[in-house]
Amino acid sequence: MSHIGTTHLGTGERFIRRLITQRRIRYVKLGRPVRIPESAVAEYIEARTVEPVRRTRVRYGRAA
């Protein structure tokens, strides 16, 4: 199994295997070995990235 997924996602091999088993990430099976393309890892990360919410700052003490 490619360790690119584990290093880019910062997880263990077990999590990557679960993603493959649940078909939540694209992979290539070459006989027995399984490979995850770097583009598939990038797509997975992009699809699950949550952007921060910018809140406007409330100013207290201003006269109405």
Side-chain angles (χ1 to χ4, degrees), residues 1-6 13-38 40-41:
M1 173 172 296
S2 174
H3 293 287
I4 292 173
T6 58
E13 188 174 330
R14 184 175 179 169
F15 178 71
I16 301 299
R17 288 184 184 273
R18 187 171 354 133
L19 291 177
I20 291 170
T21 302
Q22 296 173 351
R23 296 183 182 232
R24 292 171 50 196
I25 194 166
R26 190 167 41 93
Y27 65 93
V28 178
K29 189 166 183 172
L30 304 168
R32 187 171 186 211
V34 174
R35 301 287 184 240
I36 302 171
E38 287 185 43
V41 175

Side-chain angles (χ1 to χ4, degrees), residues 4-5 8-9 25-26 36-46:
I4 292 173
H8 282 297
L9 294 175
I25 194 166
R26 190 167 41 93
I36 302 171
E38 287 185 43
S39 60
V41 175
E43 289 170 10
Y44 183 83
I45 292 171
E46 183 67 29

